[in-house]
Amino acid sequence: MKTTAQYWNVLAANRAGQWEEIEGSQGQLEQLTLAIDNSTGDYTRLTRFKAGANSEAFGAKSHSYPEEIYIISGRLYDAAFDMWLEAGHYASRPPGEVHGPFKCEQECLVLEVSYPSQAIE
């Protein structure tokens, strides 16, 4: 079962120290895990792309498991789809779907729900 928590404002200034830099992003990308199932690896997290972020160094990505994403705020360009994603855009990605690299002009906040327990080998 995923970890649980009572209501808390994840964007409050006093929570700033809980965000982690995504390794290799040179401070352009941060993540905050909201819930995780330590047995299955399934997780819910926020990813923050800082203004001007560009993930070309990571290249396009795909996962062996499904994931859902929802753009909370800002705009994010997905090169794999040649498309700007804006607040309100949602996707339910099947295993193996290629996405990214990403870039943004202004800060962008993305909710991500991933299901490694449903990986297809």
Side-chain angles (χ1 to χ4, degrees):
M1 183 168 93
K2 281 186 182 178
T3 54
T4 60
Q6 292 182 333
Y7 292 116
W8 57 294
N9 185 340
V10 299
L11 302 178
N14 65 342
R15 301 289 183 181
Q18 292 179 299
W19 287 82
E20 302 172 298
E21 180 180 328
I22 294 178
E23 190 175 331
S25 75
Q26 287 121 8
Q28 296 182 70
L29 306 171
E30 297 177 324
Q31 64 187 8
L32 177 63
T33 300
L34 303 175
I36 189 165
D37 182 325
N38 289 314
S39 298
T40 66
D42 294 352
Y43 61 89
T44 302
R45 78 171 164 213
L46 291 173
T47 301
R48 181 166 42 205
F49 292 76
K50 293 191 176 176
N54 187 327
S55 70
E56 285 181 354
F58 294 115
K61 291 189 157 242
S62 68
H63 313 283
S64 61
Y65 52 84
E67 72 177 351
E68 298 172 85
I69 62 130
Y70 178 76
I71 308 298
I72 296 171
S73 63
R75 283 179 12 124
L76 187 65
Y77 180 76
D78 186 336
F81 289 89
D82 188 24
M83 180 178 182
W84 281 98
L85 308 172
E86 298 179 346
H89 271 109
Y90 166 83
S92 180
R93 295 183 178 133
E97 182 175 275
V98 175
H99 50 284
F102 300 102
K103 66 180 178 181
C104 67
E105 299 160 339
Q106 58 183 333
E107 185 173 286
C108 183
L109 188 61
V110 180
L111 176 67
E112 179 185 333
V113 183
S114 295
Y115 305 94
S117 66
Q118 297 176 31
I120 296 174
E121 301 299 324

